């Protein structure tokens, strides 16, 4: 995981560059990336019994869901935009991850929206959001550094 | 279509008497502080009503140790972003003891269990986001997105200031249904103690046009609720503090017994044996 974090941090640097060359950040200008990012946050680990997430990719109950991360406003586009996540994780996992990748400074926040309309409560399970608001089995999340949709 | 406003009014007027006590290990004054009583709306949220509580207890704690206030009931931290009535029904209704005794804390915020609130603005954002989420389920979000910003403000201020008319003038539009424009899905959440909440898609009508009932929802989401358990008295299904007949059409419950956030909040608790 540490290696993955470092990898993401490096990517975040490249992302900043991408953003400046892509003023219309919301547009899907990049080819679909299929690389999987396992989202794990230490704070959540404490609450749950220890599970080996990466070692059992084929377990049916734990099958991951895919979310597509889209930039809104002036947020930089991510290198890896398709994330595979455990449906039992909460939205706060995604927000924490984004904070790391986007290197959110203190006092800044990341906002994550569903349907380009509402920011769900961070304790919402990703599986719930995908079931209620996903299309083609995929959940699309828009993220930005300022409130995009009141 | 909303026909019986008296029911809406009765739901709106639901109140819970709460007795707030400062946590024993948190006061620095030589004397034990008094308790503080409030009669609070079931439909409201704790941060909306607890300004006075914070002010009252602040005099007993050292300012440098005073963090964000959080509340606890019998060891259970209370989530500020759940409506007060839902918290009561879930954790306290089975004990049937009023006033509801809640402990006030200013230290050791349980980060892993509670979201931080910060200010009333956070409550407003959370509330409006939840209404939008419910509208996304009911009408693909077109009613909320078709409203003016001031209409959203009015939904919030109606709730915050406990103004029934002000709130319902706007909320009516979110509850309206015509033959061509039915709710696509019922916004509901099912709560159980120490279980994640259940929220899924559920259509209000069967293919033959018959309305789906509360019982059918539970059969699909949580069948164990409907089977009697030998070791306890079975389950109680509480909405707004009452046990509605399980045959009640879900769409009726959604129109009349939803919270202002437009979700139907259903609490499952165990029935204590007599």
């Amino acid at each position: 995981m540490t290696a993955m974090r470092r990898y993401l941090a490096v990517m975040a640097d490249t992302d900043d560059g991408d953003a400046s060359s892509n003023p219309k950040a919301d547009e899907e200008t990049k080819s679909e990336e299929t690389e999987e990012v396992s989202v794990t946050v230490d704070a959540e680990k404490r609450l749950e019994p220890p599970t080996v997430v990466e070692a059992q990719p084929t377990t049916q109950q734990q099958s991951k869901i895919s979310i597509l991360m889209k930039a809104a406003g002036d947020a930089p586009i991510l290198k890896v935009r398709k994330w595979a996540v455990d449906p039992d994780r909460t939205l706060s996992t995604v927000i924490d991850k984004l904070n790391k990748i986007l290197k959110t400074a203190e006092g800044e926040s990341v906002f994550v929206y569903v349907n380009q309309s509402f920011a769900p409560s961070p304790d919402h399970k990703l599986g719930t959001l995908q079931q209620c608001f996903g299309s083609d089995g995929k959940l699309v999340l828009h993220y930005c550094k300022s409130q995009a949709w009141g | 279509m909303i026909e019986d406003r008296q029911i809406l009014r009765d739901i709106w007027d639901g109140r819970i008497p709460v007795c707030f006590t400062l946590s024993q290990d948190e006061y620095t004054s030589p004397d034990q502080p008094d308790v503080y009583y409030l009669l609070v709306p079931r439909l409201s949220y704790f941060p909306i009503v607890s300004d006075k509580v914070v002010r009252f207890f602040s005099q007993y704690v050292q300012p440098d140790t005073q963090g964000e206030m959080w509340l606890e009931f019998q060891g259970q931290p209370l989530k500020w972003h759940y409506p007060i009535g839902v918290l009561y029904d879930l954790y306290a209704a089975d004990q049937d003891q009023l006033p509801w005794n809640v402990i006030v804390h200013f230290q050791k915020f349980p980060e892993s269990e509670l979201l931080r609130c910060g200010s009333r603005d956070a409550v407003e954002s959370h509330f409006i986001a939840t209404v939008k989420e419910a509208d996304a389920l009911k009408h693909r979000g077109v009613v909320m997105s078709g409203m003016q910003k001031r209409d959203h403000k009015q939904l919030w201020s109606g709730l915050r200031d406990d103004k029934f008319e002000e709130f319902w003038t706007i909320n009516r539009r979110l509850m309206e249904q015509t033959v061509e424009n039915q709710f696509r899905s019922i916004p509901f959440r099912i709560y159980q103690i120490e279980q994640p909440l259940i929220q899924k898609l559920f259509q209000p009508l069967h293919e033959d046009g018959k309305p789906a009932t509360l019982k059918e929802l539970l059969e699909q989401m949580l069948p164990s609720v409907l089977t009697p358990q030998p070791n306890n008295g079975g389950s109680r299904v509480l909405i707004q503090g009452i046990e509605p007949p399980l045959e009640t059409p879900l769409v009726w419950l959604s129109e009349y017994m939803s919270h202002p956030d437009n979700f139907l909040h259903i609490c499952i608790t165990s029935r204590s044996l007599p």
Side-chain angles (χ1 to χ4, degrees):
Chain A
M1 274 326 284
T2 334
M4 181 64 82
R5 286 236 178 81
R6 242 179 268 132
Y7 173 55
L8 288 167
V10 173
M11 287 191 320
D13 287 337
T14 355
D15 281 332
D16 289 338
D18 285 340
S20 53
S21 60
N22 278 307
K24 280 186 90 177
D26 200 18
E27 236 170 62
E28 279 192 49
T29 47
K30 297 191 143 198
S31 61
E32 292 279 296
E33 311 244 2
T34 47
E35 207 165 339
E36 293 198 347
V37 180
S38 292
V39 180
T40 317
V41 165
D42 300 336
E44 277 221 353
K45 262 189 188 163
R46 274 186 273 119
L47 298 175
E48 290 166 33
T51 45
V52 189
V53 183
E54 279 139 318
Q56 35 169 270
T58 48
T59 316
Q60 284 188 338
Q61 285 178 330
Q62 283 296 313
S63 64
K64 297 194 169 182
I65 53 166
S66 80
I67 46 181
L68 182 61
M69 303 299 301
K70 290 190 176 186
D74 54 358
I77 298 175
L78 304 180
K79 256 267 159 63
V80 177
R81 307 188 313 140
K82 245 189 199 170
W83 294 8
V85 295
D86 183 337
D88 283 337
R89 296 260 170 212
T90 59
L91 185 65
S92 61
T93 327
V94 170
I95 296 172
D96 289 347
K97 197 87 211 169
L98 278 171
N99 275 323
K100 276 194 193 119
I101 299 175
L102 303 176
K103 294 184 177 154
T104 316
E106 210 166 302
E108 284 184 322
S109 12
V110 172
F111 298 87
V112 177
Y113 291 89
V114 168
N115 285 2
Q116 300 192 52
S117 97
F118 64 90
S121 177
D123 60 354
H124 246 317
K125 289 216 181 301
L126 294 166
T128 301
L129 290 173
Q130 185 252 342
Q131 276 182 327
C132 291
F133 305 106
S135 57
D136 302 329
K138 204 188 325 169
L139 175 67
V140 179
L141 295 177
H142 282 78
Y143 60 92
C144 51
K145 285 189 154 188
S146 54
Q147 268 190 308
W149 295 278
Chain B
M1 217 9 119
I2 301 288
E3 289 154 0
D4 194 339
R5 284 173 65 83
Q6 189 55 45
I7 296 175
L8 301 177
R9 184 80 228 194
D10 288 348
I11 294 288
W12 185 272
D13 287 338
R15 295 286 186 274
I16 296 171
V18 184
C19 171
F20 296 90
T21 308
L22 184 61
S23 171
Q24 278 200 346
D25 52 359
E26 290 192 23
Y27 61 83
T28 46
S29 58
D31 305 317
Q32 180 162 359
D34 284 339
V35 295
Y36 197 91
Y37 292 95
L38 277 181
L39 189 60
V40 297
R42 274 185 157 268
L43 303 185
S44 194
Y45 297 87
F46 271 121
I48 299 181
V49 298
S50 59
D51 278 359
K52 285 180 197 162
V53 179
V54 174
R55 229 174 297 137
F56 177 75
F57 287 119
S58 290
Q59 56 181 315
Y60 299 102
V61 297
Q62 279 192 329
D64 52 339
T65 61
Q66 186 178 347
E68 179 174 329
M69 186 195 72
W70 59 280
L71 301 171
E72 170 222 313
F73 172 67
Q74 296 184 346
Q76 174 66 51
L78 301 176
K79 294 189 164 101
W80 65 262
H81 63 298
Y82 286 8
I84 294 171
V86 171
L87 293 168
Y88 177 80
D89 287 348
L90 185 59
Y91 298 118
D94 57 341
Q95 304 186 11
D96 205 19
Q97 260 188 3
L98 291 175
W100 183 21
N101 284 302
V102 167
I103 308 291
V104 176
H105 293 270
F106 292 101
Q107 297 173 27
K108 298 182 193 136
F109 193 91
E111 305 278 355
S112 59
E113 290 184 71
L114 300 184
L115 300 174
R116 282 195 176 270
C117 174
S119 68
R120 274 196 180 196
D121 291 347
V123 190
E124 179 177 353
S125 303
H126 166 76
F127 171 70
I128 293 297
T130 315
V131 181
K132 283 185 179 177
E133 183 175 344
D135 191 45
L137 292 166
K138 286 196 283 195
H139 311 106
R140 293 178 187 267
V142 295
V143 181
M144 277 301 272
S145 59
M147 280 184 188
Q148 307 272 340
K149 186 90 186 160
R150 64 162 188 271
D151 298 333
H152 292 182
K153 285 273 174 206
Q154 189 172 331
L155 281 172
W156 162 246
S157 60
L159 170 69
R160 183 194 59 199
D161 306 336
D162 196 18
K163 300 245 166 69
F164 176 82
E165 293 297 340
E166 192 176 320
F167 175 80
W168 269 100
T169 306
I170 307 296
N171 197 53
R172 198 170 39 84
R173 288 151 63 184
L174 290 158
M175 288 293 176
E176 253 163 22
Q177 293 193 81
T178 56
V179 179
E180 312 86 65
N181 188 14
Q182 307 271 347
F183 291 172
R184 301 173 55 80
S185 180
I186 299 285
F188 73 90
R189 285 177 182 168
I190 298 176
Y191 302 83
Q192 298 161 276
I193 290 173
E194 287 174 2
Q195 295 287 329
L197 67 84
I198 301 172
Q199 176 183 331
K200 289 183 182 168
L201 295 179
F202 190 82
Q203 291 173 358
L205 300 177
H206 292 293
E207 277 179 15
D208 59 6
K210 270 196 198 145
T213 62
L214 176 59
K215 188 177 178 191
E216 285 162 338
L217 175 80
L218 295 170
E219 269 166 1
Q220 208 166 315
M221 303 296 157
L222 207 64
S224 60
V225 169
L226 301 169
T227 38
Q229 308 289 319
N231 51 349
N232 63 36
S235 303
R236 285 172 89 193
V237 179
L238 286 173
I239 303 177
Q240 298 284 8
I242 64 165
E243 291 182 69
L246 295 178
E247 303 304 328
T248 315
L250 212 57
V251 68
W252 188 94
L253 291 170
S254 183
E255 286 175 334
Y256 285 95
M257 296 185 69
S258 288
H259 273 262
D261 64 11
N262 275 250
F263 270 87
L264 186 63
H265 296 267
I266 304 166
C267 294
I268 311 291
T269 65
S270 55
R271 190 186 300 281
S272 43
L273 288 172

